[in-house]
Amino acid sequence: MSESVVEDPGSEVPVEDPTGELLVVENLTVTLPTTRGPVDVVKDVSFTVGRNETVGIVGESGSGKSMTSLAVMGLLPRGAVTRGSVRLGGLELLGRTDREMRRIRGAQASMVFQDPLSSLNPYYTVGLQIEEMYRAHRGASRKEARKIAVEALARVGIPEPERRAGHYPHQFSGGQRQRVMIAMALVCSPALLIADEPTTALDVTVQAQILRLLAELQRRTRTGTVFITHDLAVISSVATRVLVMCRGEQVEYGTAEQIFSAPQHAYTRKLLDSIPRVTDDLPADDLPTDEVIA
Ligand SMILES: Nc1ncnc2c1ncn2[C@@H]1O[C@H](COP(=O)(O)OP(=O)(O)O)[C@@H](O)[C@H]1O
Ligand SMILES: [Mg+2]
């Protein structure tokens, strides 16, 4: 498969960021138009993600976590204005056209959302949707893409992947659907994966399984991962670095160890205090009871 370095959509030459990091976000500010005039929903946020690293972004609902990730992916609402810099593999992403961003999304940077149903088409089988994603970026034959889609489903722990590839999104439970989304997000081996509250809608047991899966895939594929959550406990087991956001601002950024053992801000301490811990003793897999249709 292709080397996981972003290629300039207009050039054949892969670029490396001088810092050696995969994703470099510098002084990102996102301004959205509202009925009360422009509002800065992300203010001067900076962080980096290395290959083979999981960075957590935490903060209460409305703190700007999603707007930060949508800015990276070029998916902000119409009328949004960005300032600062977002470099992926050395390439500046801010200011790119929709067409350029479409080529980057899926292939070089992928996103998994809280609600997989909003990103899956209910009228097509999941196998076909993964195939299409692959073909759109890699131009493989249908047969080859089918094989890759089935392999992708197997990799995320879907049993009987060949048969399940022929099923529709509603035939999967919530946890299984999130696995399908992860399979789709990773099918083109992107360098960067952004998971925006991927486990929030799931019950605690399934949450733990999805987390474990993401951590496993991250280790195996060396994908740089941004894991967004409102729950600090969720990332305590996976993140190497943590960015804490509050009302669009970066209140704290450091290694997971620093954040968890010596939080500098009252806000971070509050987040730390309000959580039950995810233990290392993860429960057994949700299969096959999680499967809605046998
Ligand atoms: N389309 C929009 N237009 C204007 N403001 C928005 C829009 N979407 C979200 N916001 C505001 O932007 C802020 C950040 O939202 P968001 O990034 O979704 O927060 P989080 O993901 O941390 O819960 C919130 O105050 C929210 O109300
Ligand atoms: Mg959000």
Side-chain angles (χ1 to χ4, degrees):
M1 206 133 318
S2 81
E3 169 56 14
S4 50
V5 171
V6 172
E7 289 177 14
D8 188 319
S11 111
E12 295 297 309
V13 189
V15 226
E16 278 278 6
D17 196 86
T19 60
E21 302 278 1
L22 173 66
L23 178 72
V24 181
V25 175
E26 277 173 348
N27 308 109
L28 174 68
T29 295
V30 176
T31 309
L32 292 181
T34 72
T35 48
R36 287 166 292 116
V39 173
D40 290 349
V41 291
V42 177
K43 300 168 200 163
D44 209 19
V45 165
S46 303
F47 63 97
T48 60
V49 183
R51 276 152 207 272
N52 206 17
E53 186 185 17
T54 297
V55 173
I57 303 183
V58 285
E60 292 169 335
S61 176
S63 55
K65 306 181 297 296
S66 291
M67 289 301 151
T68 300
S69 54
L70 295 174
V72 172
M73 300 297 291
L75 289 172
L76 285 170
R78 191 164 290 279
V81 176
T82 50
R83 274 176 289 150
S85 172
V86 173
R87 296 194 306 276
L88 181 62
L91 254 184
E92 181 59 56
L93 298 187
L94 294 188
R96 289 207 175 262
T97 63
D98 287 350
R99 190 162 167 270
E100 288 171 332
M101 284 313 294
R102 272 198 298 276
R103 288 179 65 176
I104 289 169
R105 275 198 303 272
Q108 307 293 355
S110 259
M111 198 159 162
V112 175
F113 298 92
Q114 178 177 332
D115 175 15
L117 276 185
S118 65
S119 331
L120 288 167
N121 187 321
Y123 302 112
Y124 295 102
T125 65
V126 302
L128 185 70
Q129 293 183 60
I130 299 173
E131 261 175 72
E132 289 298 316
M133 166 69 113
Y134 188 77
R135 276 159 59 84
H137 291 287
R138 300 279 186 255
S141 72
R142 203 162 268 296
K143 195 173 158 214
E144 196 183 327
R146 167 51 61 123
K147 188 169 155 267
I148 282 163
V150 170
E151 279 167 13
L153 288 173
R155 211 174 309 132
V156 297
I158 301 284
E160 299 184 75
E162 213 146 323
R163 189 172 65 86
R164 296 292 270 159
H167 287 178
Y168 293 85
H170 74 269
Q171 294 177 287
F172 293 80
S173 68
Q176 296 275 297
R177 262 197 303 263
Q178 202 52 286
R179 286 174 191 263
V180 169
M181 276 313 300
I182 293 166
M184 188 142 108
L186 293 178
V187 73
C188 293
S189 308
L192 177 74
L193 175 72
I194 301 183
D196 189 353
E197 310 228 22
T199 62
T200 302
L202 306 173
D203 71 49
V204 175
T205 310
V206 184
Q207 252 186 47
Q209 290 153 11
I210 297 291
L211 272 177
R212 186 172 50 186
L213 171 68
L214 279 169
E216 252 173 51
L217 291 170
Q218 200 274 329
R219 268 195 301 276
R220 239 187 302 158
T221 59
R222 305 190 74 242
T223 307
T225 305
V226 178
F227 194 103
I228 296 176
T229 176
H230 63 274
D231 182 348
L232 205 44
V234 164
I235 54 160
S236 63
S237 56
V238 291
T240 42
R241 279 185 272 190
V242 177
L243 166 69
V244 182
M245 290 185 73
C246 177
R247 296 204 193 113
E249 283 174 33
Q250 169 173 337
V251 294
E252 199 156 348
Y253 174 56
T255 64
E257 203 184 327
Q258 280 164 3
I259 302 285
F260 290 111
S261 63
Q264 297 301 300
H265 287 262
Y267 178 75
T268 312
R269 283 194 289 273
K270 201 181 90 193
L271 289 177
L272 275 169
D273 285 346
S274 64
I275 46 164
R277 304 202 71 80
V278 173
T279 66
D280 291 330
D281 189 19
L282 294 174
D285 210 292
D286 55 327
L287 308 171
T289 46
D290 189 46
E291 200 178 19
V292 170
I293 290 203

